[in-house]
Amino acid sequence: MINKAIANILPHLPKRLVRIFANKYFSGENLSDALRESKKLNEEGCSVTLDILGEYVSKMEEAEQYKIQYLDVIEQFSAANITGNFSLKPSMFGILLNKEACYENYREIVKAAAKHNNFIRIDMEDSSCTDDEINLYLRLKKEFPGRVGLVLQAYMHRTLDDIKKMMEVHTEASPLNFRLCKGIYVEDKSIAYKGYQEVRDHFLEDLEYMLLNGIYVGIATHDAYLVEKSMELIEKHKISKDKFEFQMLYGVNPGMRRSIAGKGYSMKIYVPFGKQWFNYSTRRLKENPNMVWHIVKAIFIRG
Ligand SMILES: Cc1cc2nc3c(=O)[nH]c(=O)nc-3n(C[C@H](O)[C@H](O)[C@H](O)COP(=O)(O)OP(=O)(O)OC[C@H]3O[C@@H](n4cnc5c(N)ncnc54)[C@H](O)[C@@H]3O)c2cc1C
């Protein structure tokens, strides 16, 4: 209850205060920060997926600016020889304003990534975007096989059906490529599972379906139970290591990421950066079971 109350007041706290305990969840405000942190992660044996913070633009001009930024990120990232790829939120490119223009923005970015033999992951946002984001993925996959992937959320009732429907375009030469996560947005119980164990059960059901059908999957979780059960499924079905990877967020449980990577599994870290850090970081703070302690520490101990 205290966590919930604090979560509600976060947006009203001074940004300078929130920044103190939000810092650990993003790599910095500038690309140079993200490249520096990515190199460190590469040295640790992890690959990265870079994300420019920002979402839900209100004008297509803003989307155009973000596109230009991403094109620059791709060039500099490639020149720095970093191992990893890029994650993009469709609402940053105007999916809720103009689907066609959003598609064109993505198209240009995927094309630039493909030139460097690289890959773009389409993040999944709230349920008002689900259909459009699936369609965006399918359209881009057709034009750029192997260069684009999508995120799916285990908490959505529809997810397993969505995966089954997308099997129509799954081939050995161009497999489906998903990141599977629990899902972060607040959705109505008529469309989303709400129970903690219920979401975990559906995560594992979706994951098993993907693994058994040769879909590439990024297993995105910090939940020790899910990590252990995922490893059991991988072992049970003898899934080869080039068919999946584990994924975690920058700043969350580095001990766990080292332990997973130490067992010989591929580990990718989602590395956000940029000036629009507030919304992203407060979402992370709300998920942190020790948030109350962090805030008390920030207010009273660090003055
Ligand atoms: C790489 C990656 C990409 C993602 N992309 C998307 C996306 O596109 N769309 C989407 O809806 N969601 C996305 N998510 C978020 C995801 O949906 C979950 O909200 C988030 O990962 C928390 O779920 P969990 O599986 O880690 O389990 P939880 O039950 O939330 O966490 C398990 C344990 O991990 C630790 N932990 C979790 N979060 C924190 C934190 N912030 N600080 C400290 N400890 C923490 C705690 O010990 C907690 O008990 C992504 C997650 C990852 C890892």
Side-chain angles (χ1 to χ4, degrees), residues 25 124 153 179 181-184 196 221-222 284 287-288:
Y25 293 120
M124 182 58 81
Q153 299 153 322
R179 170 195 299 150
C181 64
K182 285 184 181 173
I184 180 71
Y196 195 72
T221 183
H222 319 97
R284 299 282 81 83
E287 284 173 330
N288 185 342

Side-chain angles (χ1 to χ4, degrees), residues 31 34 38 48-52 70 73 77 85-87 271 273:
L31 175 58
S38 298
V48 296
T49 184
L50 234 62
D51 166 68
I52 301 178
Y70 260 106
V73 166
F77 183 94
N85 56 38
F86 312 95
S87 288
V271 179
F273 77 96

Side-chain angles (χ1 to χ4, degrees), residues 26-42:
F26 69 106
S27 56
E29 292 199 8
N30 302 306
L31 175 58
S32 56
D33 299 317
L35 296 180
R36 184 193 61 240
E37 293 307 301
S38 298
K39 273 190 187 150
K40 282 192 208 157
L41 287 161
N42 278 182

Side-chain angles (χ1 to χ4, degrees), residues 24-25 49 87 89 122-126 151-153 155 179-185 196 200 203 219-224 226 247-249 251-253 256 268-270 283-290 294:
K24 75 168 196 167
Y25 293 120
T49 184
S87 288
K89 287 194 172 29
I122 304 170
D123 281 348
M124 182 58 81
E125 300 175 278
D126 70 274
V151 179
L152 292 173
Q153 299 153 322
Y155 67 9
R179 170 195 299 150
L180 179 64
C181 64
K182 285 184 181 173
I184 180 71
Y185 300 88
Y196 195 72
R200 282 172 156 176
F203 188 106
I219 306 166
T221 183
H222 319 97
D223 184 343
L226 282 183
Q247 298 189 355
M248 289 176 63
L249 299 174
V252 179
N253 205 342
M256 175 182 269
K268 180 166 275 121
I269 305 298
Y270 188 98
R283 278 206 292 271
R284 299 282 81 83
L285 283 165
K286 288 176 194 172
E287 284 173 330
N288 185 342
N290 300 318
H294 282 302

Side-chain angles (χ1 to χ4, degrees), residues 73-234:
V73 166
I74 291 170
E75 290 309 314
Q76 294 203 43
F77 183 94
S78 310
N81 268 325
I82 291 169
T83 305
N85 56 38
F86 312 95
S87 288
L88 278 66
K89 287 194 172 29
S91 72
M92 175 188 256
F93 297 96
I95 200 154
L96 294 173
L97 304 177
N98 181 337
K99 290 188 221 339
E100 199 53 33
C102 173
Y103 168 73
E104 287 302 330
N105 283 332
Y106 262 85
R107 211 180 150 270
E108 247 187 89
I109 296 169
V110 178
K111 206 168 162 187
K115 226 172 52 191
H116 291 285
N117 246 342
N118 215 320
F119 174 93
I120 296 294
R121 173 81 56 196
I122 304 170
D123 281 348
M124 182 58 81
E125 300 175 278
D126 70 274
S127 57
S128 68
C129 305
T130 312
D131 282 327
D132 291 336
E133 294 181 354
I134 289 176
N135 290 337
L136 177 66
Y137 168 61
L138 294 176
R139 223 173 142 187
L140 288 163
K141 179 182 183 292
K142 204 167 173 185
E143 190 175 353
F144 301 99
R147 297 289 170 211
V148 63
L150 180 69
V151 179
L152 292 173
Q153 299 153 322
Y155 67 9
M156 294 296 285
H157 292 170
R158 57 182 286 174
T159 295
L160 191 55
D161 286 340
D162 285 338
I163 304 168
K164 288 179 181 168
K165 268 189 227 143
M166 284 189 270
M167 283 302 287
E168 273 176 28
V169 297
H170 174 74
T171 62
E172 214 169 296
S174 172
L176 290 168
N177 187 319
F178 299 130
R179 170 195 299 150
L180 179 64
C181 64
K182 285 184 181 173
I184 180 71
Y185 300 88
V186 180
E187 301 292 357
D188 192 80
K189 65 176 188 318
S190 61
I191 57 168
Y193 301 109
K194 293 287 178 185
Y196 195 72
Q197 188 58 39
E198 195 180 26
V199 174
R200 282 172 156 176
D201 292 343
H202 285 280
F203 188 106
L204 293 171
E205 190 183 11
D206 297 340
L207 176 64
E208 186 163 32
Y209 184 89
M210 291 184 199
L211 293 174
L212 286 174
N213 285 284
I215 295 171
Y216 186 90
V217 55
I219 306 166
T221 183
H222 319 97
D223 184 343
Y225 169 90
L226 282 183
V227 170
E228 194 189 319
K229 294 286 171 199
S230 301
M231 287 178 183
E232 282 173 20
L233 284 177
I234 287 159

